[in-house]
Amino acid sequence: MGTILSTIAEQVGTITLKNGKVNPLSKALIDEIQLELEHMKSRSVRVVVLRAEKGVKVFSAGHDVTELPTNGRDPLTYNDPLRQLIRAIEKYPVPIIAMIEGSVWGGACELVMCCDLIVAAEDSTFAITPAKLGVPYDIYGMLNFIKVLDIHLLKEMLFGAQPVTAQRLAECGVVNRIATRDQLETATMNLAQQIKRTSPLVQCILKEELRVLSSASPLNPEAYERIQSLRREVYDSSDYQEGIRAFKEKRDPEFQGK
Ligand code: LCV
């Protein structure tokens, strides 16, 4: 245990990631975040802030790569811890603000982007990395990215897997506020105070309406099955194994396209 810090002050809950140098989204960390979210709900908080420790170089390195299966199982199934946390955040009855310092990687980008608002330090970056790691990202996760990012920016981030600045994401309407690292907490708390002044009952239904409407994408069974079979070809591929092996061996992957 002990992978997060949490506080509640004036009906604002703050969850701070504290899971080593790069905050990999391990099952242990995700379980703690979910328990704390439930605790804060019982304490009737009005806003939740999700952050890392002050001054971090890395907000989160994304999914814990050491927990990705290498035995032919789908790496991002419905019950994967990260998928469970993202659904919990989307269904949480009060707004959640992601307060970002440092770099955000892979599934942590989806985690941050499924929060309701993002306040980021001006030098923070976001990198969406499935293609770098060889991972066939899941359908719902891709829908979450499409909800937030324009398609050409999303394709640039997916195909290149390179960090994009918070400034650029703010210009594209993805990041709500940019601040210096010194002003980041103030900017975040100002936003939290604004939210606290409006109706919690209305916020709750507005958030749920937006969740339901933004996920109301018709997907017929044949299309779903076809995409799942394409994903299986990837996570059954030697490239998938190579991506994870290269990460563990601290070298660039050599993908063969099979
Ligand atoms: C476990 C880690 C990780 C990690 N998990 O420090 O989006 S998808 O589909 O790809 C999804 C499946 C997903 O989210 O996959 C993860 C995607 N994440 C990444 O590609 C980022 C991988 N990490 C890095 O590029 C670097 O670690 C960053 C730039 C985050 C930090 O670099 P820095 O030089 O500061 P190290 O690389 O030395 O990492 C410190 C320790 O954390 C481990 C890493 O293996 C190292 O462990 P050791 O000290 O035992 O060698 N680590 C880093 N990322 N995602 N473990």
Coordinates of all heavy atoms in Angstrom, one line a residue, residues 49 67 70 100 113 137 184 216 225 228:
V49 N -9.3 16.5 -7.1 CA -8.1 16.9 -7.9 C -7.2 15.7 -7.9 O -6.9 15.1 -6.9 CB -7.4 18.1 -7.3 CG1 -6.0 18.3 -8.0 CG2 -8.3 19.3 -7.3
E67 N 2.9 -5.4 -16.0 CA 1.7 -6.1 -15.7 C 0.9 -6.4 -17.0 O -0.2 -6.9 -17.0 CB 0.8 -5.3 -14.8 CG 1.4 -5.1 -13.4 CD 0.5 -4.3 -12.5 OE1 -0.6 -3.8 -12.9 OE2 0.9 -4.2 -11.3
T70 N 1.9 -11.4 -21.6 CA 2.7 -11.8 -22.8 C 2.4 -13.2 -23.2 O 3.1 -13.9 -23.8 CB 4.2 -11.7 -22.5 OG1 4.4 -12.4 -21.3 CG2 4.6 -10.2 -22.2
I100 N -1.7 18.6 -13.9 CA -0.5 17.9 -14.5 C 0.8 18.7 -14.4 O 0.9 19.8 -14.8 CB -0.8 17.7 -16.0 CG1 -2.2 16.9 -16.1 CG2 0.3 16.9 -16.6 CD1 -2.2 15.6 -15.4
M113 N -7.2 12.5 -19.8 CA -8.1 13.1 -20.7 C -9.6 12.7 -20.4 O -10.5 13.3 -20.9 CB -7.8 12.7 -22.2 CG -6.5 13.4 -22.6 SD -6.0 13.0 -24.3 CE -4.4 13.8 -24.4
Y137 N -4.4 -0.9 -28.8 CA -5.3 -0.2 -27.9 C -6.7 -0.6 -28.1 O -7.1 -1.0 -29.2 CB -5.1 1.3 -28.0 CG -5.2 2.1 -26.7 CD1 -4.1 2.0 -25.8 CD2 -6.3 2.8 -26.4 CE1 -4.2 2.7 -24.6 CE2 -6.4 3.5 -25.1 CZ -5.3 3.4 -24.3 OH -5.3 4.1 -23.1
L184 N 0.6 26.5 -10.5 CA -0.3 25.4 -10.9 C -1.4 25.1 -9.9 O -2.6 24.9 -10.2 CB 0.5 24.1 -11.2 CG -0.2 22.9 -11.7 CD1 -0.8 23.2 -13.1 CD2 0.8 21.7 -11.9
A216 N -22.4 7.4 -27.0 CA -23.5 6.8 -27.8 C -23.1 6.5 -29.2 O -23.7 7.1 -30.2 CB -24.7 7.7 -27.7
E225 N -16.8 -7.3 -33.9 CA -16.0 -8.6 -34.0 C -14.8 -8.4 -34.9 O -13.7 -9.0 -34.6 CB -17.0 -9.7 -34.5 CG -18.1 -10.1 -33.6 CD -17.6 -10.7 -32.3 OE1 -16.5 -11.2 -32.3 OE2 -18.3 -10.7 -31.3
Q228 N -12.1 -6.6 -33.1 CA -11.5 -7.4 -32.1 C -10.6 -8.5 -32.7 O -9.5 -8.8 -32.2 CB -12.6 -8.1 -31.2 CG -13.2 -7.2 -30.2 CD -12.3 -6.6 -29.2 OE1 -11.6 -5.6 -29.5 NE2 -12.2 -7.2 -28.0

